[in-house]
PDB file of all heavy atoms in Angstrom:
ATOM      1  N   PHE A  39     108.010 107.970  99.410  1.00  0.00           N
ATOM      2  CA  PHE A  39     107.298 107.703  98.166  1.00  0.00           C
ATOM      3  C   PHE A  39     106.365 108.738  97.812  1.00  0.00           C
ATOM      4  O   PHE A  39     106.129 109.209  96.777  1.00  0.00           O
ATOM      5  CB  PHE A  39     106.722 106.323  98.259  1.00  0.00           C
ATOM      6  CG  PHE A  39     105.899 105.906  97.064  1.00  0.00           C
ATOM      7  CD1 PHE A  39     106.494 105.328  95.982  1.00  0.00           C
ATOM      8  CD2 PHE A  39     104.439 105.913  97.224  1.00  0.00           C
ATOM      9  CE1 PHE A  39     105.797 105.024  94.824  1.00  0.00           C
ATOM     10  CE2 PHE A  39     103.706 105.530  96.062  1.00  0.00           C
ATOM     11  CZ  PHE A  39     104.291 105.259  94.848  1.00  0.00           C
ATOM     12  N   LEU A  40     105.427 109.020  98.845  1.00  0.00           N
ATOM     13  CA  LEU A  40     104.437 110.076  98.641  1.00  0.00           C
ATOM     14  C   LEU A  40     105.036 111.389  98.317  1.00  0.00           C
ATOM     15  O   LEU A  40     104.460 112.094  97.527  1.00  0.00           O
ATOM     16  CB  LEU A  40     103.465 110.161  99.866  1.00  0.00           C
ATOM     17  CG  LEU A  40     102.630 108.848 100.127  1.00  0.00           C
ATOM     18  CD1 LEU A  40     101.853 109.053 101.494  1.00  0.00           C
ATOM     19  CD2 LEU A  40     101.660 108.524  99.011  1.00  0.00           C
ATOM     20  N   VAL A  41     105.959 111.841  99.058  1.00  0.00           N
ATOM     21  CA  VAL A  41     106.630 113.046  98.737  1.00  0.00           C
ATOM     22  C   VAL A  41     107.158 113.174  97.276  1.00  0.00           C
ATOM     23  O   VAL A  41     107.053 114.162  96.649  1.00  0.00           O
ATOM     24  CB  VAL A  41     107.822 113.404  99.719  1.00  0.00           C
ATOM     25  CG1 VAL A  41     108.696 114.568  99.218  1.00  0.00           C
ATOM     26  CG2 VAL A  41     107.232 113.732 101.124  1.00  0.00           C
ATOM     27  N   SER A  42     107.790 112.042  96.777  1.00  0.00           N
ATOM     28  CA  SER A  42     108.124 111.895  95.393  1.00  0.00           C
ATOM     29  C   SER A  42     106.992 112.042  94.497  1.00  0.00           C
ATOM     30  O   SER A  42     107.219 112.732  93.426  1.00  0.00           O
ATOM     31  CB  SER A  42     108.867 110.555  95.225  1.00  0.00           C
ATOM     32  OG  SER A  42     110.026 110.474  95.945  1.00  0.00           O
ATOM     33  N   ILE A  43     105.926 111.428  94.783  1.00  0.00           N
ATOM     34  CA  ILE A  43     104.719 111.592  93.864  1.00  0.00           C
ATOM     35  C   ILE A  43     104.328 113.109  93.853  1.00  0.00           C
ATOM     36  O   ILE A  43     104.132 113.633  92.763  1.00  0.00           O
ATOM     37  CB  ILE A  43     103.507 110.721  94.444  1.00  0.00           C
ATOM     38  CG1 ILE A  43     103.913 109.171  94.291  1.00  0.00           C
ATOM     39  CG2 ILE A  43     102.316 111.036  93.661  1.00  0.00           C
ATOM     40  CD1 ILE A  43     103.968 108.679  92.980  1.00  0.00           C
ATOM     41  N   TYR A  44     104.252 113.695  94.999  1.00  0.00           N
ATOM     42  CA  TYR A  44     103.856 115.151  94.972  1.00  0.00           C
ATOM     43  C   TYR A  44     104.908 116.032  94.250  1.00  0.00           C
ATOM     44  O   TYR A  44     104.641 116.948  93.605  1.00  0.00           O
ATOM     45  CB  TYR A  44     103.679 115.721  96.410  1.00  0.00           C
ATOM     46  CG  TYR A  44     102.394 114.997  96.979  1.00  0.00           C
ATOM     47  CD1 TYR A  44     102.491 114.497  98.192  1.00  0.00           C
ATOM     48  CD2 TYR A  44     101.186 115.101  96.374  1.00  0.00           C
ATOM     49  CE1 TYR A  44     101.348 113.938  98.943  1.00  0.00           C
ATOM     50  CE2 TYR A  44     100.003 114.537  96.908  1.00  0.00           C
ATOM     51  CZ  TYR A  44     100.116 114.010  98.117  1.00  0.00           C
ATOM     52  OH  TYR A  44      99.031 113.394  98.658  1.00  0.00           O
ATOM     53  N   GLN A  45     106.273 115.609  94.503  1.00  0.00           N
ATOM     54  CA  GLN A  45     107.282 116.467  93.717  1.00  0.00           C
ATOM     55  C   GLN A  45     107.232 116.287  92.351  1.00  0.00           C
ATOM     56  O   GLN A  45     107.346 117.232  91.423  1.00  0.00           O
ATOM     57  CB  GLN A  45     108.697 115.846  94.262  1.00  0.00           C
ATOM     58  CG  GLN A  45     109.865 116.567  93.596  1.00  0.00           C
ATOM     59  CD  GLN A  45     111.041 116.057  94.022  1.00  0.00           C
ATOM     60  OE1 GLN A  45     111.158 115.311  95.029  1.00  0.00           O
ATOM     61  NE2 GLN A  45     112.135 116.296  93.249  1.00  0.00           N
ATOM     62  N   LEU A  46     106.853 114.996  91.825  1.00  0.00           N
ATOM     63  CA  LEU A  46     106.486 114.703  90.359  1.00  0.00           C
ATOM     64  C   LEU A  46     105.358 115.632  89.906  1.00  0.00           C
ATOM     65  O   LEU A  46     105.471 116.233  88.765  1.00  0.00           O
ATOM     66  CB  LEU A  46     106.208 113.296  90.221  1.00  0.00           C
ATOM     67  CG  LEU A  46     105.859 112.737  88.800  1.00  0.00           C
ATOM     68  CD1 LEU A  46     107.081 113.110  87.869  1.00  0.00           C
ATOM     69  CD2 LEU A  46     105.387 111.415  88.815  1.00  0.00           C
ATOM     70  N   GLN A  47     104.318 115.659  90.657  1.00  0.00           N
ATOM     71  CA  GLN A  47     103.126 116.499  90.272  1.00  0.00           C
ATOM     72  C   GLN A  47     103.581 118.103  90.069  1.00  0.00           C
ATOM     73  O   GLN A  47     103.171 118.702  89.245  1.00  0.00           O
ATOM     74  CB  GLN A  47     101.976 116.335  91.163  1.00  0.00           C
ATOM     75  CG  GLN A  47     101.431 115.006  91.137  1.00  0.00           C
ATOM     76  CD  GLN A  47     100.395 114.769  92.199  1.00  0.00           C
ATOM     77  OE1 GLN A  47     100.230 115.421  93.248  1.00  0.00           O
ATOM     78  NE2 GLN A  47      99.542 113.703  92.052  1.00  0.00           N
ATOM     79  N   MET A  48     104.330 118.438  91.160  1.00  0.00           N
ATOM     80  CA  MET A  48     104.827 119.915  91.108  1.00  0.00           C
ATOM     81  C   MET A  48     105.673 120.198  89.992  1.00  0.00           C
ATOM     82  O   MET A  48     105.481 121.282  89.203  1.00  0.00           O
ATOM     83  CB  MET A  48     105.507 120.258  92.365  1.00  0.00           C
ATOM     84  CG  MET A  48     104.601 120.361  93.614  1.00  0.00           C
ATOM     85  SD  MET A  48     105.534 120.895  95.151  1.00  0.00           S
ATOM     86  CE  MET A  48     106.548 119.586  95.434  1.00  0.00           C
ATOM     87  N   ALA A  49     106.565 119.356  89.690  1.00  0.00           N
ATOM     88  CA  ALA A  49     107.517 119.551  88.471  1.00  0.00           C
ATOM     89  C   ALA A  49     106.865 119.485  87.200  1.00  0.00           C
ATOM     90  O   ALA A  49     107.019 120.316  86.267  1.00  0.00           O
ATOM     91  CB  ALA A  49     108.730 118.439  88.595  1.00  0.00           C
ATOM     92  N   SER A  50     105.850 118.502  87.134  1.00  0.00           N
ATOM     93  CA  SER A  50     105.058 118.442  85.816  1.00  0.00           C
ATOM     94  C   SER A  50     104.171 119.642  85.726  1.00  0.00           C
ATOM     95  O   SER A  50     104.041 120.136  84.517  1.00  0.00           O
ATOM     96  CB  SER A  50     104.222 117.113  85.824  1.00  0.00           C
ATOM     97  OG  SER A  50     105.104 115.981  86.009  1.00  0.00           O
ATOM     98  N   GLY A  51     103.625 120.056  86.725  1.00  0.00           N
ATOM     99  CA  GLY A  51     102.697 121.218  86.704  1.00  0.00           C
ATOM    100  C   GLY A  51     103.529 122.514  86.340  1.00  0.00           C
ATOM    101  O   GLY A  51     103.121 123.378  85.445  1.00  0.00           O
ATOM    102  N   ALA A  52     104.738 122.655  86.804  1.00  0.00           N
ATOM    103  CA  ALA A  52     105.603 123.758  86.463  1.00  0.00           C
ATOM    104  C   ALA A  52     105.986 123.784  84.966  1.00  0.00           C
ATOM    105  O   ALA A  52     106.006 124.750  84.386  1.00  0.00           O
ATOM    106  CB  ALA A  52     106.831 123.808  87.355  1.00  0.00           C
ATOM    107  N   LYS A  53     106.303 122.509  84.427  1.00  0.00           N
ATOM    108  CA  LYS A  53     106.636 122.394  83.118  1.00  0.00           C
ATOM    109  C   LYS A  53     105.401 122.687  82.182  1.00  0.00           C
ATOM    110  O   LYS A  53     105.628 123.402  81.116  1.00  0.00           O
ATOM    111  CB  LYS A  53     107.182 120.967  82.836  1.00  0.00           C
ATOM    112  CG  LYS A  53     107.629 120.759  81.399  1.00  0.00           C
ATOM    113  CD  LYS A  53     108.826 121.724  81.042  1.00  0.00           C
ATOM    114  CE  LYS A  53     109.221 121.431  79.494  1.00  0.00           C
ATOM    115  NZ  LYS A  53     110.135 122.456  79.139  1.00  0.00           N
ATOM    116  N   TYR A  54     104.240 122.283  82.653  1.00  0.00           N
ATOM    117  CA  TYR A  54     103.061 122.611  81.917  1.00  0.00           C
ATOM    118  C   TYR A  54     102.859 124.110  81.657  1.00  0.00           C
ATOM    119  O   TYR A  54     102.700 124.661  80.638  1.00  0.00           O
ATOM    120  CB  TYR A  54     101.853 122.067  82.698  1.00  0.00           C
ATOM    121  CG  TYR A  54     100.514 122.268  82.073  1.00  0.00           C
ATOM    122  CD1 TYR A  54      99.950 121.538  81.048  1.00  0.00           C
ATOM    123  CD2 TYR A  54      99.797 123.428  82.411  1.00  0.00           C
ATOM    124  CE1 TYR A  54      98.660 121.769  80.459  1.00  0.00           C
ATOM    125  CE2 TYR A  54      98.563 123.727  81.843  1.00  0.00           C
ATOM    126  CZ  TYR A  54      98.023 122.894  80.948  1.00  0.00           C
ATOM    127  OH  TYR A  54      96.789 123.103  80.365  1.00  0.00           O
ATOM    128  N   TRP A  55     102.901 124.862  82.750  1.00  0.00           N
ATOM    129  CA  TRP A  55     102.817 126.312  82.770  1.00  0.00           C
ATOM    130  C   TRP A  55     103.971 127.064  82.101  1.00  0.00           C
ATOM    131  O   TRP A  55     103.602 128.007  81.437  1.00  0.00           O
ATOM    132  CB  TRP A  55     102.450 126.882  84.248  1.00  0.00           C
ATOM    133  CG  TRP A  55     101.083 126.445  84.721  1.00  0.00           C
ATOM    134  CD1 TRP A  55     100.856 125.459  85.676  1.00  0.00           C
ATOM    135  CD2 TRP A  55      99.927 126.814  84.016  1.00  0.00           C
ATOM    136  NE1 TRP A  55      99.564 125.269  85.711  1.00  0.00           N
ATOM    137  CE2 TRP A  55      98.954 126.124  84.854  1.00  0.00           C
ATOM    138  CE3 TRP A  55      99.451 127.604  83.123  1.00  0.00           C
ATOM    139  CZ2 TRP A  55      97.566 126.158  84.505  1.00  0.00           C
ATOM    140  CZ3 TRP A  55      98.086 127.834  82.897  1.00  0.00           C
ATOM    141  CH2 TRP A  55      97.152 127.109  83.555  1.00  0.00           C
ATOM    142  N   GLN A  56     105.078 126.414  82.112  1.00  0.00           N
ATOM    143  CA  GLN A  56     106.281 126.983  81.343  1.00  0.00           C
ATOM    144  C   GLN A  56     105.953 126.919  79.852  1.00  0.00           C
ATOM    145  O   GLN A  56     106.132 127.903  79.056  1.00  0.00           O
ATOM    146  CB  GLN A  56     107.509 126.256  81.676  1.00  0.00           C
ATOM    147  CG  GLN A  56     108.576 126.808  80.810  1.00  0.00           C
ATOM    148  CD  GLN A  56     109.940 125.715  80.920  1.00  0.00           C
ATOM    149  OE1 GLN A  56     109.986 124.934  81.735  1.00  0.00           O
ATOM    150  NE2 GLN A  56     110.793 126.028  79.988  1.00  0.00           N
ATOM    151  N   GLU A  57     105.362 125.747  79.450  1.00  0.00           N
ATOM    152  CA  GLU A  57     105.047 125.552  78.047  1.00  0.00           C
ATOM    153  C   GLU A  57     104.018 126.547  77.686  1.00  0.00           C
ATOM    154  O   GLU A  57     104.000 127.119  76.527  1.00  0.00           O
ATOM    155  CB  GLU A  57     104.537 124.159  77.716  1.00  0.00           C
ATOM    156  CG  GLU A  57     105.788 123.180  77.860  1.00  0.00           C
ATOM    157  CD  GLU A  57     106.741 123.284  76.852  1.00  0.00           C
ATOM    158  OE1 GLU A  57     106.494 123.808  75.696  1.00  0.00           O
ATOM    159  OE2 GLU A  57     107.966 122.973  77.098  1.00  0.00           O
ATOM    160  N   TRP A  58     102.894 126.731  78.631  1.00  0.00           N
ATOM    161  CA  TRP A  58     101.854 127.678  78.264  1.00  0.00           C
ATOM    162  C   TRP A  58     102.391 129.005  78.015  1.00  0.00           C
ATOM    163  O   TRP A  58     102.045 129.798  77.130  1.00  0.00           O
ATOM    164  CB  TRP A  58     100.790 127.661  79.375  1.00  0.00           C
ATOM    165  CG  TRP A  58      99.868 128.779  79.266  1.00  0.00           C
ATOM    166  CD1 TRP A  58      99.758 129.720  80.098  1.00  0.00           C
ATOM    167  CD2 TRP A  58      98.770 128.756  78.210  1.00  0.00           C
ATOM    168  NE1 TRP A  58      98.693 130.622  79.676  1.00  0.00           N
ATOM    169  CE2 TRP A  58      98.101 130.179  78.507  1.00  0.00           C
ATOM    170  CE3 TRP A  58      98.410 128.203  77.086  1.00  0.00           C
ATOM    171  CZ2 TRP A  58      97.017 130.619  77.727  1.00  0.00           C
ATOM    172  CZ3 TRP A  58      97.425 128.638  76.296  1.00  0.00           C
ATOM    173  CH2 TRP A  58      96.813 129.948  76.573  1.00  0.00           C
ATOM    174  N   TRP A  59     103.380 129.509  79.019  1.00  0.00           N
ATOM    175  CA  TRP A  59     103.861 130.849  78.964  1.00  0.00           C
ATOM    176  C   TRP A  59     104.756 131.049  77.661  1.00  0.00           C
ATOM    177  O   TRP A  59     104.608 132.113  76.975  1.00  0.00           O
ATOM    178  CB  TRP A  59     104.774 131.100  80.208  1.00  0.00           C
ATOM    179  CG  TRP A  59     105.376 132.478  80.189  1.00  0.00           C
ATOM    180  CD1 TRP A  59     104.854 133.589  80.706  1.00  0.00           C
ATOM    181  CD2 TRP A  59     106.705 132.765  79.877  1.00  0.00           C
ATOM    182  NE1 TRP A  59     105.704 134.673  80.525  1.00  0.00           N
ATOM    183  CE2 TRP A  59     106.806 134.066  79.941  1.00  0.00           C
ATOM    184  CE3 TRP A  59     107.705 132.070  79.334  1.00  0.00           C
ATOM    185  CZ2 TRP A  59     107.998 134.776  79.812  1.00  0.00           C
ATOM    186  CZ3 TRP A  59     108.907 132.716  78.912  1.00  0.00           C
ATOM    187  CH2 TRP A  59     108.990 134.119  79.144  1.00  0.00           C
ATOM    188  N   GLU A  60     105.461 130.069  77.370  1.00  0.00           N
ATOM    189  CA  GLU A  60     106.191 130.205  76.099  1.00  0.00           C
ATOM    190  C   GLU A  60     105.400 130.241  74.819  1.00  0.00           C
ATOM    191  O   GLU A  60     105.753 130.956  73.903  1.00  0.00           O
ATOM    192  CB  GLU A  60     107.200 129.058  75.900  1.00  0.00           C
ATOM    193  CG  GLU A  60     108.434 129.056  76.984  1.00  0.00           C
ATOM    194  CD  GLU A  60     109.268 127.907  76.934  1.00  0.00           C
ATOM    195  OE1 GLU A  60     109.189 127.090  76.132  1.00  0.00           O
ATOM    196  OE2 GLU A  60     110.258 127.864  77.810  1.00  0.00           O
ATOM    197  N   SER A  61     104.288 129.474  74.949  1.00  0.00           N
ATOM    198  CA  SER A  61     103.477 129.611  73.726  1.00  0.00           C
ATOM    199  C   SER A  61     102.791 130.998  73.561  1.00  0.00           C
ATOM    200  O   SER A  61     102.559 131.574  72.497  1.00  0.00           O
ATOM    201  CB  SER A  61     102.308 128.622  73.698  1.00  0.00           C
ATOM    202  OG  SER A  61     101.328 128.851  74.663  1.00  0.00           O
ATOM    203  N   ARG A  62     102.499 131.607  74.646  1.00  0.00           N
ATOM    204  CA  ARG A  62     101.835 132.986  74.756  1.00  0.00           C
ATOM    205  C   ARG A  62     102.901 134.006  74.354  1.00  0.00           C
ATOM    206  O   ARG A  62     102.612 134.989  73.512  1.00  0.00           O
ATOM    207  CB  ARG A  62     101.365 133.312  76.111  1.00  0.00           C
ATOM    208  CG  ARG A  62     100.149 132.512  76.601  1.00  0.00           C
ATOM    209  CD  ARG A  62      98.863 132.567  75.848  1.00  0.00           C
ATOM    210  NE  ARG A  62      98.944 131.971  74.513  1.00  0.00           N
ATOM    211  CZ  ARG A  62      98.206 132.282  73.515  1.00  0.00           C
ATOM    212  NH1 ARG A  62      97.277 133.200  73.488  1.00  0.00           N
ATOM    213  NH2 ARG A  62      98.252 131.623  72.320  1.00  0.00           N
ATOM    214  N   VAL A  63     104.094 133.848  74.790  1.00  0.00           N
ATOM    215  CA  VAL A  63     105.256 134.774  74.505  1.00  0.00           C
ATOM    216  C   VAL A  63     105.477 134.801  72.864  1.00  0.00           C
ATOM    217  O   VAL A  63     105.561 135.806  72.224  1.00  0.00           O
ATOM    218  CB  VAL A  63     106.504 134.399  75.136  1.00  0.00           C
ATOM    219  CG1 VAL A  63     107.754 135.163  74.424  1.00  0.00           C
ATOM    220  CG2 VAL A  63     106.439 134.792  76.619  1.00  0.00           C
TER     221      VAL A  63
END
Side-chain angles (χ1 to χ4, degrees):
F39 176 78
L40 293 174
V41 169
S42 295
I43 295 291
Y44 290 130
Q45 181 182 344
L46 177 65
Q47 291 174 345
M48 289 185 294
S50 299
K53 182 64 178 165
Y54 176 88
W55 290 110
Q56 175 194 349
E57 291 294 330
W58 169 251
W59 180 83
E60 288 176 3
S61 74
R62 298 291 75 202
V63 168

